Amino acid sequence: QVQLVESGGGLVQAGGSLRLSCVPSGRTFSNYVMGWFRQAPGKEREFVAAISWSGGRTLYPNSVKGRFTISRDNAKNTVYLQMNSLKPEDTAVYYCAARRYNTVVITASAYEYWGQGTQVTVSS
């Protein structure tokens, strides 16, 4: 019954913002590295952001750096992805993921737990 549940996706205009949330079910994730990935139809799964246990270390690919911010509130057991200046190419299903060991990585196979995804659609 361990799972991650994403929410906050939707339809926005280019240049707009969305804030995604990820909450666990079955256990707490304060001692897990958390990440966000996305996948568009016909495209490979893409790393979006990751954050360490304490939130002190974050990592982003160049495609979202400066526009997206990952954060976590361990007291609320929630991870967020703030997405600003959205572009149509950001359209994808966004997945929350969790990983044991306090090493921030960008490889999807290193993450052990995944959510069901939330759709983000950015219109021009």
Side-chain angles (χ1 to χ4, degrees), residues 24-113:
S25 176
R27 68 178 66 186
T28 61
F29 285 86
S30 60
N31 293 320
Y32 287 74
V33 167
M34 303 298 296
W36 288 94
F37 293 79
R38 66 187 182 187
Q39 188 164 22
K43 300 292 183 64
E44 297 179 349
R45 184 168 46 184
E46 178 186 15
F47 169 73
V48 176
I51 189 167
S52 61
W53 293 355
S54 67
R57 176 174 169 80
T58 58
L59 191 63
Y60 307 91
N62 289 333
S63 59
V64 307
K65 190 178 300 181
R67 299 189 298 120
F68 291 9
T69 303
I70 187 172
S71 62
R72 67 193 303 165
D73 186 338
N74 287 337
K76 296 181 178 180
N77 205 22
T78 303
V79 180
Y80 305 96
L81 183 67
Q82 178 67 46
M83 304 185 293
N84 298 325
S85 302
L86 284 162
K87 306 174 181 179
E89 49 263 46
D90 294 319
T91 296
V93 177
Y94 283 70
Y95 298 92
C96 180
R99 177 186 188 270
R100 298 174 67 185
Y101 311 106
N102 199 16
T103 303
V104 179
V105 298
I106 66 172
T107 304
S109 62
Y111 290 81
E112 300 166 277
Y113 303 97

